Amino acid sequence: MKTALLSIVMISLMAACAATVGPDAVSFPSGYKSQVLVATVDRPDIKQVRQIYATQQAAQLARAGKPLADGAVFAMEIYPVKADAKGELAKDSSGRLVKGDLAAVFVMEKRAGFGANYPEDIRTGDWEYSRFSPDGQRLPDQDSTQCMKCHKPLTKQDFLFTLPRLAAAK
Protein backbone atom coordinates (compact mmCIF):
# COMPACT_ATOMS: atom_id res chain seq x y z
CA MET A 1 0.00 0.00 0.00
CA LYS A 2 2.80 2.41 0.92
CA THR A 3 4.63 1.58 -2.31
CA ALA A 4 1.52 2.28 -4.39
CA LEU A 5 0.93 5.58 -2.59
CA LEU A 6 4.57 6.56 -3.05
CA SER A 7 4.32 5.72 -6.77
CA ILE A 8 1.23 7.91 -7.15
CA VAL A 9 2.94 10.79 -5.34
CA MET A 10 6.07 10.45 -7.50
CA ILE A 11 4.06 10.37 -10.75
CA SER A 12 2.10 13.43 -9.64
CA LEU A 13 5.29 15.31 -8.80
CA MET A 14 6.87 14.41 -12.14
CA ALA A 15 3.76 15.56 -14.00
CA ALA A 16 3.73 18.83 -12.05
CA CYS A 17 7.42 19.43 -12.82
CA ALA A 18 6.92 18.67 -16.51
CA ALA A 19 4.07 21.16 -16.63
CA THR A 20 6.22 23.90 -15.09
CA VAL A 21 9.04 23.87 -17.64
CA GLY A 22 9.14 25.20 -21.16
CA PRO A 23 8.28 28.67 -22.50
CA ASP A 24 4.93 28.69 -20.68
CA ALA A 25 6.75 28.58 -17.33
CA VAL A 26 8.31 32.00 -17.96
CA SER A 27 6.25 34.95 -16.76
CA PHE A 28 6.22 38.41 -18.26
CA PRO A 29 8.31 40.64 -15.95
CA SER A 30 5.92 43.59 -15.78
CA GLY A 31 8.36 45.91 -13.99
CA TYR A 32 11.42 45.13 -16.09
CA LYS A 33 11.91 48.76 -17.24
CA SER A 34 12.66 49.76 -13.64
CA GLN A 35 15.48 47.20 -13.49
CA VAL A 36 19.01 47.53 -14.89
CA LEU A 37 19.39 48.62 -18.52
CA VAL A 38 22.24 46.36 -19.62
CA ALA A 39 22.66 47.35 -23.25
CA THR A 40 21.13 48.86 -26.35
CA VAL A 41 22.26 46.85 -29.34
CA ASP A 42 21.94 47.95 -32.96
CA ARG A 43 21.43 44.97 -35.27
CA PRO A 44 21.49 46.39 -38.82
CA ASP A 45 21.87 42.83 -40.16
CA ILE A 46 18.32 42.02 -39.07
CA LYS A 47 17.00 45.61 -39.02
CA GLN A 48 16.45 45.66 -35.25
CA VAL A 49 17.37 47.58 -32.15
CA ARG A 50 17.40 45.58 -28.96
CA GLN A 51 17.26 46.99 -25.44
CA ILE A 52 18.19 44.49 -22.75
CA TYR A 53 17.21 44.76 -19.08
CA ALA A 54 18.17 42.52 -16.15
CA THR A 55 17.06 42.15 -12.56
CA GLN A 56 18.96 44.03 -9.85
CA GLN A 57 19.96 40.72 -8.26
CA ALA A 58 21.53 39.51 -11.50
CA ALA A 59 23.50 42.76 -11.84
CA GLN A 60 24.76 42.58 -8.24
CA LEU A 61 25.94 38.99 -8.67
CA ALA A 62 27.61 39.76 -12.01
CA ARG A 63 29.44 42.76 -10.52
CA ALA A 64 30.68 40.51 -7.70
CA GLY A 65 31.85 37.90 -10.22
CA LYS A 66 29.41 35.35 -8.83
CA PRO A 67 27.17 32.97 -10.79
CA LEU A 68 23.68 34.21 -11.50
CA ALA A 69 21.11 32.65 -9.18
CA ASP A 70 17.65 31.22 -9.71
CA GLY A 71 15.25 34.03 -10.42
CA ALA A 72 17.57 35.96 -12.74
CA VAL A 73 15.49 37.50 -15.51
CA PHE A 74 16.49 39.29 -18.69
CA ALA A 75 13.98 41.14 -20.84
CA MET A 76 14.98 42.08 -24.38
CA GLU A 77 12.82 44.61 -26.18
CA ILE A 78 12.72 44.16 -29.95
CA TYR A 79 12.25 47.25 -32.11
CA PRO A 80 12.20 47.37 -35.90
CA VAL A 81 14.45 50.05 -37.36
CA LYS A 82 12.89 53.00 -39.14
CA ALA A 83 13.89 53.51 -42.75
CA ASP A 84 14.22 56.69 -44.79
CA ALA A 85 12.43 57.37 -48.10
CA LYS A 86 15.08 55.36 -49.99
CA GLY A 87 14.67 52.35 -47.70
CA GLU A 88 18.00 52.99 -45.98
CA LEU A 89 18.10 52.33 -42.23
CA ALA A 90 17.54 55.58 -40.36
CA LYS A 91 20.28 56.77 -37.99
CA ASP A 92 20.27 59.52 -35.39
CA SER A 93 22.93 62.23 -35.04
CA SER A 94 25.19 59.88 -33.07
CA GLY A 95 25.01 57.16 -35.73
CA ARG A 96 22.68 54.85 -33.80
CA LEU A 97 19.78 53.16 -35.54
CA VAL A 98 16.40 54.83 -35.01
CA LYS A 99 13.84 52.58 -33.32
CA GLY A 100 10.31 52.11 -34.54
CA ASP A 101 7.51 50.98 -32.22
CA LEU A 102 8.14 48.18 -29.75
CA ALA A 103 7.35 44.88 -31.52
CA ALA A 104 8.00 42.22 -28.85
CA VAL A 105 9.71 41.44 -25.57
CA PHE A 106 11.82 38.29 -25.34
CA VAL A 107 12.37 36.99 -21.81
CA MET A 108 15.13 34.73 -20.51
CA GLU A 109 14.64 33.36 -16.99
CA LYS A 110 16.82 31.11 -14.85
CA ARG A 111 15.23 28.55 -12.53
CA ALA A 112 16.42 25.19 -11.23
CA GLY A 113 15.27 22.46 -13.59
CA PHE A 114 14.19 24.76 -16.44
CA GLY A 115 16.62 23.15 -18.89
CA ALA A 116 16.09 19.57 -17.76
CA ASN A 117 13.74 18.57 -20.59
CA TYR A 118 16.08 19.63 -23.41
CA PRO A 119 18.77 17.54 -25.08
CA GLU A 120 22.31 18.36 -24.00
CA ASP A 121 23.29 19.61 -27.47
CA ILE A 122 20.97 22.62 -27.09
CA ARG A 123 20.44 22.90 -23.32
CA THR A 124 21.58 26.20 -21.84
CA GLY A 125 21.84 25.31 -18.19
CA ASP A 126 18.71 26.24 -16.25
CA TRP A 127 17.61 29.01 -18.64
CA GLU A 128 14.23 29.11 -20.36
CA TYR A 129 13.02 31.52 -23.01
CA SER A 130 9.65 32.98 -23.98
CA ARG A 131 8.29 35.73 -26.25
CA PHE A 132 5.63 38.31 -25.43
CA SER A 133 3.75 41.08 -27.19
CA PRO A 134 4.47 44.64 -25.98
CA ASP A 135 1.45 44.46 -23.66
CA GLY A 136 2.75 41.29 -21.97
CA GLN A 137 0.65 38.67 -23.74
CA ARG A 138 2.48 35.44 -24.53
CA LEU A 139 3.02 35.07 -28.27
CA PRO A 140 1.79 31.84 -29.87
CA ASP A 141 3.94 29.07 -31.32
CA GLN A 142 6.68 29.20 -28.71
CA ASP A 143 9.82 27.29 -29.63
CA SER A 144 12.96 27.96 -27.58
CA THR A 145 15.22 25.91 -29.84
CA GLN A 146 16.64 28.88 -31.79
CA CYS A 147 17.26 30.84 -28.58
CA MET A 148 19.12 27.90 -27.06
CA LYS A 149 21.18 27.23 -30.18
CA CYS A 150 22.25 30.88 -30.27
CA HIS A 151 23.15 31.02 -26.54
CA LYS A 152 24.66 27.50 -26.30
CA PRO A 153 28.26 28.49 -27.25
CA LEU A 154 28.38 30.92 -24.29
CA THR A 155 28.80 28.23 -21.62
CA LYS A 156 31.60 30.14 -19.85
CA GLN A 157 29.39 33.26 -19.60
CA ASP A 158 26.35 31.45 -18.16
CA PHE A 159 24.97 31.43 -21.73
CA LEU A 160 24.68 35.25 -21.76
CA PHE A 161 25.94 37.54 -24.50
CA THR A 162 25.69 40.49 -22.14
CA LEU A 163 27.33 39.11 -18.98
CA PRO A 164 30.38 41.43 -19.27
CA ARG A 165 28.08 44.42 -19.87
CA LEU A 166 25.88 43.35 -16.96
CA ALA A 167 28.90 43.28 -14.64
CA ALA A 168 29.73 46.86 -15.70
CA ALA A 169 26.13 48.17 -15.68
CA LYS A 170 25.16 50.84 -13.18
Side-chain angles (χ1 to χ4, degrees):
M1 184 69 169
K2 284 184 180 179
T3 305
L5 182 59
L6 182 60
S7 295
I8 291 170
V9 168
M10 291 301 292
I11 290 169
S12 297
L13 284 173
M14 288 189 315
C17 287
T20 59
V21 296
D24 289 343
V26 175
S27 299
F28 183 77
S30 59
Y32 74 87
K33 282 189 179 258
S34 66
Q35 299 292 320
V36 177
L37 175 60
V38 179
T40 299
V41 181
D42 288 351
R43 292 288 311 267
D45 56 322
I46 55 175
K47 300 177 182 170
Q48 285 183 357
V49 174
R50 297 175 170 187
Q51 281 193 216
I52 303 164
Y53 297 84
T55 54
Q56 296 287 344
Q57 176 202 38
Q60 290 168 346
L61 290 170
R63 281 186 212 114
K66 295 181 180 176
L68 300 188
D70 283 359
V73 176
F74 288 77
M76 181 171 67
E77 295 179 326
I78 305 295
Y79 295 90
V81 176
K82 290 185 176 184
D84 64 18
K86 296 179 185 178
E88 299 291 323
L89 299 181
K91 295 184 179 181
D92 64 17
S93 60
S94 63
R96 301 295 308 258
L97 295 175
V98 177
K99 301 184 297 188
D101 294 332
L102 180 61
V105 179
F106 291 8
V107 178
M108 183 176 175
E109 184 174 347
K110 187 175 190 177
R111 297 257 180 227
F114 263 14
N117 288 350
Y118 298 104
E120 189 58 38
D121 64 325
I122 63 168
R123 182 177 179 184
T124 54
D126 287 330
W127 290 100
E128 185 56 82
Y129 309 82
S130 195
R131 297 182 319 268
F132 298 88
S133 65
D135 65 355
Q137 300 300 309
R138 189 177 315 280
L139 294 172
D141 302 324
Q142 296 282 334
D143 181 3
S144 300
T145 305
Q146 292 304 338
C147 299
M148 289 182 214
K149 285 180 179 180
C150 190
H151 285 259
K152 180 67 175 174
L154 303 167
T155 305
K156 294 179 181 173
Q157 291 183 196
D158 200 7
F159 306 99
L160 298 167
F161 285 94
T162 56
L163 187 61
R165 290 186 186 187
L166 179 62
K170 297 191 190 283

